[in-house]
Amino acid sequence: MTTIQGYFDPRFEAVRDLFAEQQSDEQARGAALCVTIGGETVLDLWQGVMDKDNQRVWEQDTLVNVFSCTKPLGAVALLQQVEAGRIELDAPLASVWPEFAQAGKESVTLRHALSHRSGLSGIAAPLPPEALFEWDTMAAALAAQKPWWTPGEAHGYAPVTYAWLLGEPLARLSDERPGAYINQNVCQPLGMDFYVGVPDSELDRIASLSRLRNQYGDQYARALFAAMGRPDELSFKAFGNPSSMMTSSNRREWQQAEIFSANGTGNARSMARFWQLLAHGGSLDGVRLLDDELVSLMQREHSHGMDRTLLAPTRFGLGVMLDQDYEGGGFGMGARAFGHPGAGGSLGFCDPDAQVGFGYVTNTMGPYVLMDPRALVLSRAIYAVLRQSD
């Protein structure tokens, strides 16, 4: 067993102990936790190993795929285009992506896409595995796809197509590749050690992913996994077409692609930094990410109810999840918290009332649909300390 490393404010020693205790699970491999309050870092911890053979210790600069925790970075990139006046939230995506205006999608707007109301959660036509790494192939398939429901009338999470649904308009609006734009205009200004498309020089720092065995998640996870076994259902198409979505997370092709719906690679420190700024309305200490009115709009409820993809009740703002209506579905803090979990257990969010920025990452993937209990117990413990000090 490796020793927990990093820094903690003595007020949060109980949280550090909980984090250390998680490493005692015989299946645990590696994880990191970073929490900011206001402009101050109060926890910056890491522990475990980064490889499947338990030979490489998790280091301060270890990177890991955080899956859908990347989505809010892509959302911010699009909202920066709104702020710059290049597109309006209620403008049709086809206004910048003319090929998209087919199969009943003429009225699909940027707001629909950001809030998972576009009806484009998956691609129905079977795609070969290699299509996932061919940007133009995926963009063309999505442009040809008929919505699974009337856009705007329901919502369903878009786990992977989100990258093209937003990324193709982003590329046309910014004249840059989506990953390059996010790296240059979201990550670098904040000093984030985070990539959408990892350069060759950083590949050796990436932790290898594995899955927890003999764990089955909650009722919603079980329903989703059952649906993912039925090839004609939306959930299967959303998560399993192309099939390489489910098998590529440790491959170089995945790590270096620019699929900002799912393949961002970074660390807990970088995620906490991103959410620290959003907790403060988009700017802090002279660093500005987004206009505060747009940050407020991000956290306004746009979708609420049964999710047609996840088969669970969900709430979304613009590019972010909101606190959910059932036990275990929220962020473990205040009612205005917002952020995004990633497949397998990673979590990034903020609580604007408590001014908390939170980042948790792991390379031992759990089976939960929304919040993983490992991250949730830590956030609840942090909130308990904050309430005691009020």
Side-chain angles (χ1 to χ4, degrees), residues 27-340:
Q27 294 190 58
R29 292 180 52 240
L33 170 70
C34 186
V35 178
T36 63
I37 299 176
E40 177 188 5
T41 299
V42 298
L43 290 157
D44 188 5
L45 305 171
W46 58 94
Q47 63 184 357
V49 295
M50 59 181 290
D51 67 317
K52 290 182 177 179
D53 297 324
N54 298 336
Q55 297 298 310
R56 297 184 62 192
V57 173
W58 191 291
E59 303 285 356
Q60 183 176 12
D61 67 347
T62 293
L63 304 173
V64 67
N65 184 185
V66 299
F67 294 96
S68 291
C69 291
T70 319
K71 284 185 172 72
L73 279 70
V76 165
L78 267 298
L79 291 172
Q80 287 177 341
Q81 309 312 303
V82 173
E83 183 177 344
R86 300 187 184 107
I87 190 171
E88 296 181 356
L89 272 172
D90 294 312
L93 293 181
S95 66
V96 296
W97 183 8
E99 301 91 331
F100 189 75
Q102 56 180 301
K105 300 193 302 300
E106 300 87 350
S107 63
V108 174
T109 67
L110 177 57
R111 191 189 300 268
H112 289 151
L114 285 166
S115 56
H116 298 280
R117 302 185 69 82
S118 68
L120 296 163
S121 302
I123 296 170
L127 296 168
E130 61 271 18
L132 184 62
F133 307 110
E134 299 169 354
W135 184 272
D136 291 344
T137 299
M138 291 293 291
L142 190 61
Q145 175 65 41
K146 179 182 178 180
W148 292 80
W149 62 84
T150 302
E153 292 189 1
H155 78 282
Y157 184 56
V160 181
T161 56
Y162 194 87
W164 286 270
L165 192 59
L166 295 175
E168 186 65 19
L170 176 62
R172 296 180 185 225
L173 289 164
S174 69
D175 200 28
E176 292 187 53
R177 299 191 325 273
Y181 180 91
I182 292 170
N183 293 341
Q184 294 166 15
N185 295 278
V186 179
C187 300
Q188 291 178 14
L190 274 61
M192 296 169 62
D193 190 7
F194 195 104
Y195 305 91
V196 179
V198 181
D200 290 346
S201 60
E202 311 303 326
L203 288 172
D204 191 55
R205 293 198 285 135
I206 302 176
S208 180
L209 297 165
S210 63
R211 294 184 181 275
L212 289 170
R213 303 179 302 277
N214 302 319
Q215 296 201 15
Y216 305 101
D218 56 22
Q219 61 175 322
Y220 298 118
R222 292 192 294 272
L224 174 61
F225 296 151
M228 287 169 60
R230 297 189 285 269
D232 292 334
E233 295 207 12
L234 172 58
S235 298
F236 174 90
K237 299 294 187 181
F239 286 94
N241 184 31
S243 60
S244 47
M245 291 180 189
M246 305 298 292
T247 60
S248 300
S249 55
N250 286 319
R251 291 174 55 192
R252 180 171 177 169
E253 293 93 332
W254 173 265
Q255 294 163 348
Q256 296 199 300
E258 298 186 11
I259 307 170
F260 68 72
S261 56
N263 86 323
T265 303
N267 52 38
R269 188 178 306 109
S270 293
M271 291 209 298
R273 174 62 172 160
F274 173 80
W275 289 107
Q276 179 186 44
L277 257 75
L278 292 185
H280 289 79
S283 61
L284 181 67
D285 296 333
V287 179
R288 187 177 183 280
L289 187 62
L290 196 64
D291 179 80
D292 59 353
E293 291 185 8
L294 286 171
V295 174
S296 295
L297 196 57
M298 287 181 74
Q299 57 188 293
R300 185 181 303 169
E301 182 182 277
H302 281 70
S303 298
H304 182 197
M306 188 57 69
D307 190 299
R308 295 199 176 188
T309 307
L310 295 177
L311 308 181
T314 56
R315 297 176 65 229
F316 288 97
L318 294 180
V320 297
M321 281 191 178
L322 306 179
D323 223 45
Q324 306 302 325
D325 292 336
Y326 60 93
E327 179 66 20
F331 297 99
M333 291 201 180
R336 294 208 307 138
F338 65 101
H340 218 290

